[in-house]
Amino acid sequence: MFDSLSEKLESVFKKLRGQGVMTEDNIKEALREVRLALLEADVNFKVVKDFVESVRVKAVGTEVVQSLTPGQQVIKIVHDELVAVMGGNEDNGLNLAAKPPVAIMMVGLQGAGKTTTCGKLGRHLKNLKRRPLLVPADVYRPAAIEQLATVGRQLGLEVFNSSADQKPVDICSAAMRFAELNGFDTVILDTAGRHQIDDFLMNELAEIKAAVLPLEILFVADAMTGQEAVNVAGGFNERLDITGVVLTKLDGDAKGGAALSVKAVTGKPVKFVGLGEKLDALEVFHADRLVSRILG
Ligand code: GDP
């Protein structure tokens, strides 16, 4: 395994102990290590470039605090900057404050984890004493409707009855009416994905958005896809003005740099992370935790 960034920086700065101030020269090598660590964690290269520049500006001229080594101090600057770029430690909870039923629309590429995340989110909301209704609106992938029904059964959550011969926008509108009549306060819409962004899909999602006016549109991104997740997030955000991101499969090898890039590119917060295939493997996003993971 790689040494952690902290260890690398400690060794970079070994020679530097006792020299009061950080200068362009003496932090050059440290910034190189920071850049490599971020690229290794799959952060988009443009995002890395801007980020390293902001760390440089903060670090140069800084006096080395007595209690820290220069390496520890750069780590602290990098850590604090990363947390700030990720939106700080503010609460990025769901915005559900409106007259019920409110809709949460899940969007993303096929395989990103939408259907699974619908179930996880339903469970999360149930724990918060809400009454969620799961709605299968992916009529193209043959097994998708049945998959969500299975997830609903496992969690004891109601799943709206839809069939593959209906138009997705009709399913979603009918589900909103059903929720209103039957006392469900939150409607989670599982929409179709594709292997890549296409106009047909985007038009369909825009149509659903216009019909149900969701309070949340969550883009579900597979952390393992790294850089690609960023381009795709940009595309979905442009067309749909998403409200947040769920980063799935962080239980794998991905270091989670995609979270940083997606936030930097779309300006939208990561709200949840998926940490496994099981339906309880969902966590509210904490910038601190992700940053520790990236810095290793
Ligand atoms: P969809 O096509 O976007 O609806 O994706 P699915 O919900 O069907 O998920 C695709 C695959 O990813 C399934 O095998 C899921 O079990 C798996 N998956 C989803 N979320 C996670 C996660 O957080 N971690 C892991 N390891 N697997 C996940």
Side-chain angles (χ1 to χ4, degrees), residues 95-292:
N95 165 28
L96 302 176
K99 185 170 166 284
V102 295
I104 302 174
M105 187 173 164
M106 311 296 284
V107 301
L109 294 185
Q110 194 164 314
K114 275 184 307 303
T115 304
T116 311
T117 306
C118 284
K120 290 177 176 178
L121 208 55
R123 179 182 175 278
H124 172 76
L125 292 172
K126 189 177 164 193
N127 288 343
L128 296 176
K129 304 278 177 270
R130 294 191 69 98
R131 255 198 101 200
L133 174 69
L134 303 180
V135 181
D138 178 358
V139 296
Y140 310 105
R141 189 161 62 93
I145 292 179
E146 186 44 39
Q147 188 187 342
L148 194 64
T150 306
V151 164
R153 268 197 300 278
Q154 282 170 8
L155 294 169
L157 294 175
E158 178 126 353
V159 180
F160 185 67
N161 211 349
S162 59
S163 66
D165 55 3
Q166 290 173 285
K167 269 183 72 182
V169 65
D170 294 340
I171 295 173
C172 295
S173 299
M176 292 302 282
R177 280 193 299 278
F178 178 86
E180 192 169 2
L181 291 173
N182 293 280
F184 293 94
D185 53 22
T186 319
V187 177
I188 302 176
L189 306 170
D190 186 19
T191 67
R194 292 276 196 287
H195 291 297
Q196 58 191 49
I197 295 183
D198 66 49
D199 264 355
F200 180 82
L201 171 68
M202 284 300 170
N203 288 340
E204 179 178 292
L205 296 175
E207 206 183 354
I208 295 174
K209 177 183 176 181
V212 306
L213 303 175
L215 283 194
E216 292 278 359
I217 301 180
L218 299 180
F219 172 70
V220 181
D222 176 346
M224 305 291 283
T225 62
Q227 309 275 344
E228 184 52 22
V230 182
N231 301 333
V232 179
F236 273 80
N237 189 45
E238 224 166 78
R239 283 298 298 272
L240 298 169
D241 193 18
I242 62 172
T243 60
V245 177
V246 181
L247 199 62
T248 63
K249 310 190 191 182
L250 264 184
D251 49 311
D253 288 337
K255 276 203 146 188
L260 181 65
S261 314
V262 165
K263 166 76 176 148
V265 168
T266 63
K268 303 298 167 59
V270 179
K271 297 201 168 190
F272 294 93
V273 295
L275 293 165
E277 296 195 55
K278 291 221 182 99
L279 295 170
D280 60 357
L282 182 78
E283 264 185 21
V284 172
F285 176 72
H286 291 282
D288 255 350
R289 284 187 208 158
L290 189 96
V291 168
S292 303

